[in-house]
C-alpha cells in the first residue's frame, strides 16, 4: 500500500518554529529548572528537538497512555500504560505532545498529574487541531502550529504506526 503524502509543514519550517518556541520557553522559565514530560510515542521527536532549544537546567521523563475503546473515535477513558519514573512534586512541569485532537488524553493527564503537586504544570504541543476538540477546558500554553482537520503524519505522528520518522509534517491524500 502506497499512501500519497503531501507536505504540510516542511522540515525547515518546523525547525524554525521549534527554535522560536524553545526561546520563548527559556525566557518564560528564566532562572528555574524545567521538567519535561514526553508523552509516548508521538511526542518523542518533538520533545528531542525542543529540549535541545531550551537553555535551562532541564530534566526529562516519559509517560505512555492509551485510550480505551475500539475504533477511531476516542472513548475519553485513558489508561496509564507507563507511569513517570520520578516524582513531580514541587517541579515546574511542561508536558510535551505531538498533537492535541479531542483533548481527551491531555485533560485526563493534567488532572492526574496535578494531584501530585507540581509547582506548575503547562502544556506544549507541536500541533493543535482545535476543530476536533471535545474537552474545551484543555488550555494549551504553547502551540507551534494550528492544523486543519486532516489526517496528519510525520514528526512523531503515525498512521497505523507508520510515518512517525518523516522529518516533515505531511497530510495523507485521499486516493
Ligand atoms: C495521539 C497523539 C496524542 C493523542 C491526541 O496519540 O499522539 O497523544 O493521540 O489525541 P486526543 O487529543 O484526541 O486525546 P495516540 O493515542 O495515537 O498514541 P501514539 O502517540 O503512540 O501514536
Ligand atoms: Mn500520543
Ligand atoms: Mg497514534
Amino acid at each position: 500500500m502506497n499512501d500519497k503524502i503531501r507536505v504540510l509543514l516542511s522540515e525547515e519550517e518546523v525547525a524554525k518554529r521549534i527554535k522560536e518556541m524553545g526561546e520563548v520557553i527559556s525566557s518564560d522559565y528564566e532562572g528555574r529548572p524545567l521538567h519535561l514530560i514526553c508523552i509516548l510515542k508521538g511526542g518523542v521527536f518533538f520533545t528531542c528537538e525542543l529540549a535541545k532549544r531550551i537553555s535551562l537546567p532541564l530534566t526529562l521523563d516519559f509517560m505512555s497512555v492509551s485510550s480505551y475503546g475500539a475504533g477511531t473515535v476516542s472513548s475519553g477513558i485513558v489508561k496509564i500504560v507507563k507511569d513517570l519514573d520520578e516524582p513531580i512534586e514541587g517541579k515546574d512541569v511542561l508536558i510535551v505532545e505531538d498533537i492535541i485532537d479531542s483533548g481527551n488524553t491531555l485533560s485526563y493527564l493534567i488532572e492526574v498529574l496535578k494531584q501530585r503537586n507540581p509547582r506548575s504544570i503547562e502544556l506544549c504541543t507541536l500541533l493543535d487541531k482545535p476543530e476536533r476538540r471535545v474537552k474545551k477546558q484543555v488550555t494549551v500554553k504553547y502551540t507551534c502550529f494550528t492544523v486543519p482537520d486532516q489526517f496528519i503524519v510525520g514528526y512523531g505522528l503515525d498512521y497505523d504506526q507508520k510515518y512517525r520518522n518523516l522529518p516533515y509534517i505531511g497530510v495523507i491524500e485521499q486516493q
Side-chain angles (χ1 to χ4, degrees):
M1 183 181 70
N2 281 321
D3 298 304
K4 196 161 174 277
I5 297 171
R6 171 172 58 83
V7 176
L8 182 66
L9 295 159
S10 71
E11 195 171 351
E12 293 72 24
E13 285 173 278
V14 176
K16 181 168 174 279
R17 185 74 181 112
I18 294 177
K19 183 168 184 284
E20 285 170 5
M21 194 54 84
E23 286 163 4
V24 170
I25 291 167
S26 304
S27 132
D28 286 0
Y29 290 86
E30 199 179 348
R32 280 145 63 190
L34 184 62
H35 191 62
L36 291 189
I37 294 180
C38 168
I39 309 303
L40 299 169
K41 301 171 187 162
V44 162
F45 292 79
F46 177 44
T47 301
C48 293
E49 294 309 307
L50 180 69
K52 289 187 275 183
R53 300 298 183 179
I54 296 176
S55 52
L56 297 168
L58 192 136
T59 46
L60 259 183
D61 207 345
F62 298 85
M63 196 161 186
S64 179
V65 293
S66 81
S67 292
Y68 278 115
T72 51
V73 181
S74 163
S75 60
I77 304 165
V78 178
K79 179 176 78 163
I80 296 177
V81 176
K82 182 224 169 285
D83 206 336
L84 299 171
D85 291 336
E86 310 286 338
I88 56 170
E89 186 167 357
K91 293 178 185 171
D92 285 303
V93 169
L94 185 62
I95 303 175
V96 185
E97 261 287 25
D98 54 341
I99 189 164
I100 314 295
D101 197 329
S102 69
N104 282 328
T105 306
L106 259 299
S107 66
Y108 170 81
L109 259 179
I110 286 174
E111 284 320 302
V112 166
L113 296 180
K114 270 183 180 168
Q115 290 165 20
R116 301 183 190 180
N117 300 316
R119 180 174 192 262
S120 68
I121 186 159
E122 296 291 355
L123 176 56
C124 178
T125 188
L126 179 61
L127 306 175
D128 188 6
K129 221 186 230 185
E131 284 170 53
R132 298 253 301 174
R133 195 65 40 83
V134 174
K135 295 286 162 59
K136 309 283 183 202
Q137 77 272 25
V138 173
T139 337
V140 190
K141 179 141 188 205
Y142 304 103
T143 300
C144 290
F145 300 99
T146 298
V147 289
D149 188 11
Q150 292 173 316
F151 207 106
I152 295 174
V153 291
Y155 229 95
L157 289 104
D158 70 299
Y159 170 57
D160 205 9
Q161 299 299 328
K162 295 176 297 183
Y163 307 124
R164 293 190 196 274
N165 61 320
L166 294 178
Y168 56 88
I169 292 165
V171 173
I172 298 192
E173 300 274 23
Q174 301 297 330
Q175 315 216 33

